[in-house]
Amino acid sequence: MSGLTRSPGRTLLGAATLAAAVFGLTVLLGVTYGFRGRVVGSLLGDAIVVQARPADYAAVAVMFGLAVLAVADVLYLGVRERDTELAALRASGWSGGSLARLIVLEGAGIGLLGALAGVLGGVTAAFALAGDLPSAVVVGAAVAAVVAVTLAALASAVPALLVQRLPLALILTRE
């Protein structure tokens, strides 16, 4: 938790990119499976139609790709800023695997924050669009949340490898 709260703005940025992707996937899955591909409603008296198309899924996939890069960047910058602290932990007996798990857990934490925000927004939007909340929307939201947390944990692989390769002597002796 301390790693996530050290730079809250950066952590929230990573979580927000995931939240946007989860929101989009939740709404798309809800429209596709909960409302059979189309939602018709009204907004300020004007009729609106929301349809799910293959291009929309491609856009959500790109959003998830960008979110993965954002999470990896957030974690990489965190490792670079805390390299002295992480090197001291390593020198005091923490294994490289333990430090890598710490970074992966931080990534999963960012993923969980983004997933929860995205699911809440996506379910709320699906309900607002249709006035109903089919079980397919809830299942779609759960799938989107699992995808977000999994991708965030995978995004932490590069920073986790970096932390295992920290040059301890060099970091601990610099001024």
Side-chain angles (χ1 to χ4, degrees), residues 29-72:
L29 290 174
V31 168
T32 300
Y33 296 107
F35 305 109
R36 294 187 178 91
R38 171 183 272 192
V39 177
V40 179
S42 67
L43 181 66
L44 300 175
D46 294 326
I48 61 167
V49 176
V50 177
Q51 288 181 289
R53 301 169 310 208
D56 297 326
Y57 282 99
V60 168
V62 169
M63 289 172 63
F64 270 107
L66 292 173
V68 164
L69 292 174
V71 170

Side-chain angles (χ1 to χ4, degrees), residues 21-173:
V22 169
F23 173 85
L25 185 56
T26 299
V27 170
L28 274 176
L29 290 174
V31 168
T32 300
Y33 296 107
F35 305 109
R36 294 187 178 91
R38 171 183 272 192
V39 177
V40 179
S42 67
L43 181 66
L44 300 175
D46 294 326
I48 61 167
V49 176
V50 177
Q51 288 181 289
R53 301 169 310 208
D56 297 326
Y57 282 99
V60 168
V62 169
M63 289 172 63
F64 270 107
L66 292 173
V68 164
L69 292 174
V71 170
D73 187 50
V74 165
L75 293 171
Y76 174 78
L77 290 173
V79 167
R80 298 305 296 169
E81 286 178 355
R82 302 182 314 180
D83 63 354
T84 305
E85 171 190 327
L86 296 169
L89 288 173
R90 183 81 189 269
S92 67
W94 281 47
S95 70
S98 296
L99 290 175
R101 277 191 298 281
L102 176 72
I103 302 303
V104 170
L105 286 174
E106 287 180 12
I110 292 171
L112 188 60
L113 284 172
L116 291 175
V119 163
L120 180 64
V123 167
T124 302
F127 182 77
L129 283 171
D132 190 18
L133 195 61
S135 61
V137 173
V138 176
V139 170
V143 167
V146 168
V147 167
V149 173
T150 302
L151 288 177
L154 289 174
S156 63
V158 172
L161 289 173
L162 172 69
V163 80
Q164 290 181 339
R165 292 186 169 88
L166 289 175
L168 298 180
L170 181 64
I171 291 171
L172 293 174
T173 57

